[in-house]
Amino acid sequence: MRLLVTGAAGFIGSAFTRMVAREHPGWQVLAYDKLSYAGNLKGIGPLVDSGAISFIKGDIADSAAVASVFDSFHPDAVVNFAAESHVDRSIDDSMAFMHSNVLGVSIMLDVLRRTCPSCRFLQVSTDEVYGDLPLDEGEPFTEEAPLHPSSPYSASKAAADLITLSHARTYGTDVVVSRCTNNYGPGQHPEKLIPKTVMNALSDRPVPLYGDGLNVRDWIHVDDHCRALLAILQHGLTGEVYNVSADCPLSNRDLVYRIIASLGCEPSLVQPVRDRPGHDRRYAIDSSKLRSGLKWEPQVPFDIGLADTLRWYRDNPDYWPQEAR
Ligand SMILES: NC(=O)c1ccc[n+]([C@@H]2O[C@H](COP(=O)([O-])OP(=O)(O)OC[C@H]3O[C@@H](n4cnc5c(N)ncnc54)[C@H](O)[C@@H]3O)[C@@H](O)[C@H]2O)c1
């Protein structure tokens, strides 16, 4: 297998690349990432240094650079993690999201069909494309649910999903799409809820909590997501979408106070702040297609995964440069 991993220096991309290197040492892996503010080579650096994988710095929306990678590497499969991923940033300025999440995906698919037409393309997407549900009613979204994104981020991801699926219909490209819930684990950028809560609490700074804090997110350990992606990459049916969820819903308030208590910090550090515009109330998806079709089950219980994650942030205060924290 010759595998191209785009966005491999990000939180999930680097966890996935490490898992592939561990579990499939015979695969040839090329990691490609533009190293935006959210990219951190520390996550895959040891693999690059040891020669276990190769790395090229580049933008998925740079068609010449992408064509050169496809021409020289000839991947059998691409897993695309490359994206702008922070909802708040998309609300401030959405252009970078359209560039990477929409244009970048279109460019990769166009290059792929011209240079490696039998290559499989796995687009890593999000449950946010379905939009939200009220707190106390509504069934979890299946893969058949209409897309109803709320933020420029989720709208750009929905566009990418539809572009990806259109290539299966129009060109017969071998595509699959995964839609996962909120990931947690080591190495996530400090702007995201869990690392921000931990880092602020450990340095005795206020911990912001949006609005009433009742918004519900469904949490999954990044390694469970990566195991699902490996199953979808190897066994997913072409042209299909797979929801990925560990069925672990928690309100932001419960999660933040739980982290503060686990760290032995003062609950008074939590400071309600003005709610995010258009803030999705609750996410819930049905992952039975993945569980029954591809025999995937989550393996990391939330209590254990969260405790490990908190320990990791405590033990690795310098993972991100000071300006990112
Ligand atoms: N984090 C989550 O909870 C979650 C949940 C479901 C789906 N996803 C999706 O998974 C993917 C990875 O998320 P993440 O949390 O690891 O994000 P991240 O922000 O940590 O990493 C994104 C990576 O993509 C790179 N990148 C951005 N634009 C690029 C471009 N134009 N060309 C090349 N590289 C580029 C960045 O440098 C970074 O290394 C995203 O597509 C996201 O939408 C994330």
Side-chain angles (χ1 to χ4, degrees):
M1 166 79 100
R2 300 175 67 78
L3 179 65
L4 173 61
V5 183
T6 50
F11 164 48
I12 308 172
S14 61
F16 178 80
T17 304
R18 291 193 299 271
M19 184 176 283
V20 168
R22 237 177 8 249
E23 296 187 3
H24 299 282
W27 291 9
Q28 290 187 50
V29 179
L30 174 58
Y32 184 83
D33 196 298
K34 82 169 181 186
L35 299 181
S36 74
Y37 80 94
N40 190 339
L41 264 185
K42 282 183 187 163
I44 54 170
L47 294 174
V48 178
D49 293 344
S50 70
I53 68 166
S54 309
F55 174 74
I56 292 178
K57 181 177 175 186
D59 187 336
I60 59 166
D62 176 342
S63 53
V66 172
S68 148
V69 165
F70 275 79
D71 276 335
S72 56
F73 185 64
H74 284 291
D76 300 308
V78 180
V79 183
N80 178 39
F81 296 93
E84 292 292 331
S85 67
H86 192 42
V87 174
D88 288 344
R89 286 179 186 261
S90 81
I91 292 169
D92 288 343
D93 183 357
S94 63
M95 280 310 117
F97 290 72
M98 303 307 143
H99 173 88
S100 293
N101 303 8
V102 183
L103 186 64
V105 170
S106 294
I107 284 175
M108 274 204 292
L109 283 161
D110 280 344
V111 170
L112 183 153
R113 80 181 155 81
R114 285 200 307 269
T115 56
C116 301
S118 58
C119 177
R120 165 156 276 208
F121 185 84
L122 167 51
Q123 168 65 6
V124 180
S125 187
T126 162
D127 60 350
E128 300 191 30
V129 298
Y130 297 116
D132 66 345
L133 288 163
L135 283 184
D136 295 322
E137 57 181 299
E139 291 300 307
F141 296 118
T142 68
E143 292 82 357
E144 308 305 319
L147 304 189
H148 200 228
S150 314
S151 69
Y153 162 68
S154 51
S156 69
K157 294 296 291 185
D161 287 13
L162 297 178
I163 292 164
T164 301
L165 294 169
S166 79
H167 276 247
R169 168 83 185 251
T170 302
Y171 307 108
T173 307
D174 179 11
V175 305
V176 261
V177 173
S178 64
R179 295 185 180 138
C180 188
T181 60
N182 276 52
N183 285 220
Y184 70 95
Q188 192 168 24
H189 192 276
E191 68 191 355
K192 302 286 171 55
L193 179 62
I194 291 180
K196 177 179 272 186
T197 299
V198 178
M199 289 179 191
N200 283 18
L202 288 178
S203 48
D204 215 23
R205 290 193 305 239
V207 172
L209 180 63
Y210 276 134
D212 60 12
L214 295 180
N215 304 61
V216 171
R217 299 294 178 263
D218 180 8
W219 292 94
I220 185 171
H221 192 276
V222 64
D223 287 344
D224 278 332
H225 182 194
C226 292
R227 274 185 277 274
L229 292 173
L230 270 173
I232 294 167
L233 178 69
Q234 293 177 281
H235 307 295
L237 297 178
T238 190
E240 293 290 326
V241 176
Y242 293 89
N243 286 347
V244 185
S245 160
D247 292 333
C248 181
L250 267 182
S251 74
N252 290 345
R253 191 175 67 181
D254 287 352
L255 175 62
V256 163
Y257 280 108
R258 189 165 166 166
I259 293 172
I260 299 274
S262 304
L263 296 171
C265 296
E266 282 301 318
S268 59
L269 283 175
V270 179
Q271 305 274 307
V273 295
R274 194 158 62 92
D275 209 356
R276 166 191 282 169
H279 201 178
D280 282 337
R281 204 56 169 153
R282 177 168 74 96
Y283 295 133
I285 56 172
D286 178 337
S287 59
S288 47
K289 177 174 170 181
L290 173 68
R291 290 170 187 247
S292 60
L294 303 187
K295 309 291 175 233
W296 170 88
E297 290 291 336
Q299 295 177 15
V300 185
F302 185 72
D303 284 351
I304 294 173
L306 185 66
D308 287 349
T309 300
L310 300 186
R311 202 172 307 115
W312 187 91
Y313 285 112
R314 198 196 281 269
D315 294 346
N316 293 277
D318 299 327
Y319 187 82
W320 287 97
Q322 189 62 40
E323 62 271 18
R325 284 180 257 151

